[in-house]
Amino acid sequence: TELEILPNGINVGLNAERSKVREISIVFCSRLEKRKGIDKFIQLASKLQEKGVTFDIYGPDGGELDFVLNTIKSGNFQGRLNYKGSLESIEVQEVLKKAHLLVLPSENEPFPMVVLEALSVGTPILVMPSCGISAELFKFEPRFIAPTEDIAGLEKIIRLQIEENFQNPSSLDIQSFCKDEFGIQSVVTSLSKIYQEAYSSV
């Protein structure tokens, strides 16, 4: 029996409007645990201080909150690295709308819903090559995928984004891609096809 992979789905309402924020804001939004790569995100903040970028961390404690808070307190980040607390589900997309980039540096992430939430509001993203949807993302925009599974790969893409002033596909194009690939209707269509093929083979 051939294995069929059915992706998660998300509601996408096409809307070209995005919050206008002058200061470059790069966001981590996930549970604060080692697997999610929060340490890499903090390293990025340290390496890119000269670029005047603000790195904001959102998410509930998954064992790394003390590490995050202590690093912010003891480091010389000059307000460029901040822990903003945990978000209610209804708040996530509003926060992501204001970000220039969502970074999720976790390795072997199967199917990150926060990435879909960012794409659904037109926000560019950056994930590792081992992310479960990296192939689909790469076809749409190669800069959405780090070239390597380490801090160097992440830093390379972010520096490129900053140098090119975040010349990504438009918010509307990002939302359209998300709707076509991961929208609820797309998932329902795929599921119906799987059921039909299974039924016809009985």
Side-chain angles (χ1 to χ4, degrees):
T1 302
E2 185 178 347
L3 180 65
E4 293 278 356
I5 298 176
L6 187 70
N8 290 333
I10 190 169
N11 284 315
V12 183
L14 301 182
N15 184 349
E17 290 187 13
R18 284 193 24 96
S19 301
K20 301 295 189 297
V21 179
R22 290 182 181 178
E23 188 172 66
I24 298 174
S25 171
I26 296 178
V27 168
F28 174 98
C29 186
S30 189
R31 185 174 296 278
L32 306 185
E33 57 184 51
K34 288 184 179 180
R35 189 181 71 81
K36 296 291 186 178
I38 185 60
D39 58 326
K40 291 187 178 70
F41 188 82
I42 291 175
Q43 288 179 58
L44 288 171
S46 179
K47 288 176 175 292
L48 294 164
Q49 283 194 74
E50 85 281 2
K51 295 295 185 179
V53 180
T54 296
F55 288 80
D56 290 331
I57 299 170
Y58 296 87
D61 186 17
E64 295 295 290
L65 179 57
D66 285 344
F67 161 72
V68 170
L69 295 177
N70 290 335
T71 302
I72 292 173
K73 183 178 180 180
S74 62
N76 185 28
F77 292 100
Q78 301 178 349
R80 293 292 178 180
L81 176 65
N82 307 284
Y83 175 60
K84 295 294 189 72
S86 185
L87 296 171
E88 298 291 335
S89 57
I90 197 172
E91 299 174 308
V92 173
Q93 289 181 326
E94 289 304 313
V95 166
L96 294 175
K97 280 181 184 179
K98 300 175 184 177
H100 284 75
L101 186 69
L102 168 76
V103 178
L104 187 66
S106 52
E107 295 182 22
N108 298 311
E109 184 70 43
F111 205 100
M113 279 302 298
V114 70
V115 169
L116 298 195
E117 290 183 284
L119 296 173
S120 73
V121 294
T123 299
I125 56 92
L126 176 59
V127 299
M128 297 301 219
S130 59
C131 177
I133 56 173
S134 61
E136 292 87 345
L137 294 172
F138 188 84
K139 288 177 184 177
F140 174 68
E141 174 50 68
R143 289 184 299 176
F144 285 4
I145 313 297
T148 55
E149 291 281 343
D150 55 20
I151 189 71
L154 294 166
E155 183 183 356
K156 178 180 179 179
I157 293 295
I158 294 178
R159 287 190 181 277
L160 178 64
Q161 287 275 25
I162 294 170
E163 289 166 7
E164 296 185 354
N165 197 28
F166 292 86
Q167 294 299 313
N168 295 287
S170 70
S171 295
L172 196 56
D173 285 345
I174 293 173
Q175 289 174 313
S176 296
F177 160 74
C178 184
K179 184 175 182 178
D180 291 343
E181 287 287 337
F182 308 113
I184 291 293
Q185 188 55 55
S186 175
V187 175
V188 169
T189 300
S190 297
L191 181 60
S192 297
K193 182 180 178 182
I194 291 171
Y195 280 145
Q196 289 170 3
E197 290 178 352
Y199 180 78
S200 63
S201 65
V202 175

